Amino acid sequence: MFTVEIKKDDETLGIKKGEQYLAVRYPYDDEKITLVSRVPDGFDPECNQYWADVKIIPKKRKTN
């Protein structure tokens, strides 16, 4: 699972530019991901997005 940021609003799907979601690869199309839950409230939009419409948010590295 990884975190993505939405690049543009999509009124049909109810997602907005700047929102962040936990996501997984969509198993049936390499061009898409499945949005699992919005960060921080956990809302599940029940939709997929194209890779081109999202930006990957890198994980923060733990420092000792």
Side-chain angles (χ1 to χ4, degrees):
M1 199 168 299
F2 49 92
T3 304
V4 297
E5 183 176 310
I6 304 300
K7 288 184 178 178
K8 61 183 179 179
D9 292 352
D10 188 324
E11 292 182 26
T12 304
L13 299 175
I15 57 177
K16 295 183 169 95
K17 179 180 179 178
E19 289 181 332
Q20 293 186 2
Y21 288 86
L22 292 178
V24 295
R25 292 182 181 274
Y26 183 65
Y28 307 108
D29 186 341
D30 290 339
E31 299 293 318
K32 294 181 181 179
I33 60 169
T34 298
L35 301 179
V36 177
S37 66
R38 183 170 53 203
V39 176
D41 66 1
F43 170 73
D44 180 357
E46 299 180 11
C47 67
N48 300 310
Q49 281 288 286
Y50 286 99
W51 282 104
D53 295 332
V54 299
K55 176 177 117 180
I56 301 290
I57 305 298
K59 290 184 179 184
K60 293 182 181 178
R61 292 183 180 188
K62 293 182 182 180
T63 56
N64 294 345

